[in-house]
Amino acid sequence: MTTVHLDPTRKHDFVFLIEAVDSNANGDPDPVSGHGLITDVAIKRKIRNTVALINALEPREGREIYVEAGTALNAQHERAYALGSAHDQKSAQEWMCRNFFDVRMFGAVMTTGKRDKQAGRVQGPVQIGFSRSIDRITPLDIGITRVTPTRDEDLKAWLERGENTDGKSKGKETEMGSKHVVPYALYRGTGHFSAPLAKRTGVTTDDLALFWRAFEIMLEHDRAAARANLALRGLYVFTHDDAFGHAPAHELFERITVKARDDVNARSFSDYGTVEIRDTDLPPGVTLTTLVPRPLG
């Protein structure tokens, strides 16, 4: 497999396909077209979580996560001054870029908190757009019942079998809820990597390798009852042989296509046939690397 996709001094544009089977990929459908959407925030959250899991088992310097559950952002900024010997916003920003993977890759707005403990704004080299389903989706709202109530007083009242003045039993034995899923959807998304911005934030070859690795396995380690059957069905990287590129990204993206069925009856990836990849006449200076599915041999 070619390794040009690991070079942070080159421009990269990529296309990915995510499949959802009886799962909730993210959010509500487009109210006009009925197509399902996955936000960029959802994708980046999964990448952050996966990088954190990898770093827990394979710790390396510079792989911390800035936007992390249970951690205040202002406290992260103050660490730059307390631990990084930063004395101004510029040196604090450099410390944040060195230590936090997601700041280097995605950028961050670090202008909150104490005025003398801020780290400015970083524009990250990796940008991911909204993913959109190939066809319209059919969102389902499935009712579920839990066999125990939330409040202790409800359970006690139910056990006492008392009645209110209206004759109804006090308390409750069960509680109702719901799950939001789609029976099937295939989403197509795109993203970009800017080499000039990567130079500013200090992205390395190891960073880019970690990003692709995390992207490939992010759905495998984000399982939940409503996300049990999400799968990455395709990841295609167009790499230019310089920092600024040789062809517009949208023209390259048009080379990876999945034919729409124009109905909501698809229930498997095979219902779409094959992914069409037009790579025989790529613009000079552009290479296509297929990371998913992995090539045989």
Side-chain angles (χ1 to χ4, degrees):
M1 182 191 299
T2 179
T3 59
V4 294
H5 64 290
L6 303 179
D7 188 347
T9 68
R10 302 180 182 218
K11 183 179 188 290
H12 307 282
D13 300 296
F14 55 97
V15 177
F16 56 92
L17 302 173
I18 292 178
E19 177 187 53
V21 180
D22 295 328
S23 296
N24 182 0
N26 173 249
D28 298 321
D30 179 338
V32 176
S33 69
H35 288 194
L37 300 173
I38 302 178
T39 66
D40 61 309
V41 174
I43 298 295
K44 288 188 285 189
R45 179 72 268 159
K46 297 179 195 308
I47 293 172
R48 285 185 171 101
N49 290 347
T50 305
V51 169
L53 290 175
I54 293 173
N55 197 45
L57 296 179
E58 305 169 11
R60 301 284 191 280
E61 289 187 2
R63 287 185 176 180
E64 290 190 64
I65 298 300
Y66 169 65
V67 183
E68 188 172 24
T71 302
L73 298 183
N74 290 345
Q76 303 281 49
H77 309 160
E78 294 183 12
R79 287 181 59 200
Y81 291 87
L83 302 178
S85 299
H87 55 273
D88 57 19
Q89 184 169 285
K90 184 177 185 299
S91 56
Q93 185 177 115
E94 291 171 351
W95 188 89
M96 297 293 290
C97 285
R98 285 196 305 273
N99 285 274
F100 292 96
F101 176 86
D102 54 338
V103 174
R104 283 197 304 280
M105 299 299 281
F106 302 139
V109 177
M110 301 175 288
T111 56
T112 58
K114 299 176 182 177
R115 186 175 296 275
D116 62 341
K117 295 291 189 295
Q118 297 179 1
R121 178 180 180 274
V122 174
Q123 185 177 1
V126 175
Q127 299 299 328
I128 299 172
F130 277 39
S131 307
R132 179 176 288 269
S133 64
I134 303 299
D135 284 307
R136 292 174 289 123
I137 64 171
T138 305
L140 301 180
D141 186 1
I142 301 173
I144 58 174
T145 303
R146 190 172 65 193
V147 298
T148 180
T150 300
R151 302 188 309 164
D152 184 60
E153 53 266 37
D154 285 328
L155 180 60
K156 289 180 179 179
W158 176 78
L159 292 173
E160 292 171 358
R161 294 289 185 177
E163 290 187 349
N164 294 315
T165 56
D166 59 3
K168 295 182 179 179
S169 297
K170 294 180 179 179
K172 51 185 174 181
E173 178 184 10
T174 62
E175 288 193 358
M176 298 296 295
S178 61
K179 286 185 178 292
H180 305 279
V181 300
V182 294
Y184 187 86
L186 181 63
Y187 300 82
R188 181 182 184 275
T190 59
H192 313 270
F193 179 88
S194 167
L197 293 178
K199 185 176 181 179
R200 287 185 185 177
T201 62
V203 173
T204 66
T205 296
D206 288 343
D207 288 331
L208 204 45
L210 179 59
F211 172 75
W212 296 127
R213 179 184 178 189
F215 207 110
E216 288 183 48
I217 66 174
M218 63 181 178
L219 300 177
E220 302 300 322
H221 297 276
D222 188 52
R223 303 296 185 190
R227 298 191 301 276
N229 299 300
L230 296 179
L232 185 66
R233 285 293 191 168
L235 178 55
Y236 312 91
V237 184
F238 293 94
T239 300
H240 306 253
D241 68 4
D242 70 2
F244 296 98
H246 296 281
H250 71 274
E251 292 182 3
L252 299 177
F253 293 157
E254 290 171 354
R255 293 173 173 271
I256 307 294
T257 58
V258 180
K259 186 176 181 180
R261 290 166 51 94
D262 295 324
D263 63 31
V264 294
N265 294 318
R267 288 297 181 270
S268 71
F269 187 63
S270 60
D271 286 342
Y272 285 96
T274 59
V275 178
E276 183 179 345
I277 304 173
R278 186 160 57 86
D279 59 353
T280 57
D281 58 344
L282 289 171
V286 176
T287 302
L288 174 60
T289 303
T290 299
L291 297 180
V292 177
R294 291 187 175 276
L296 299 177

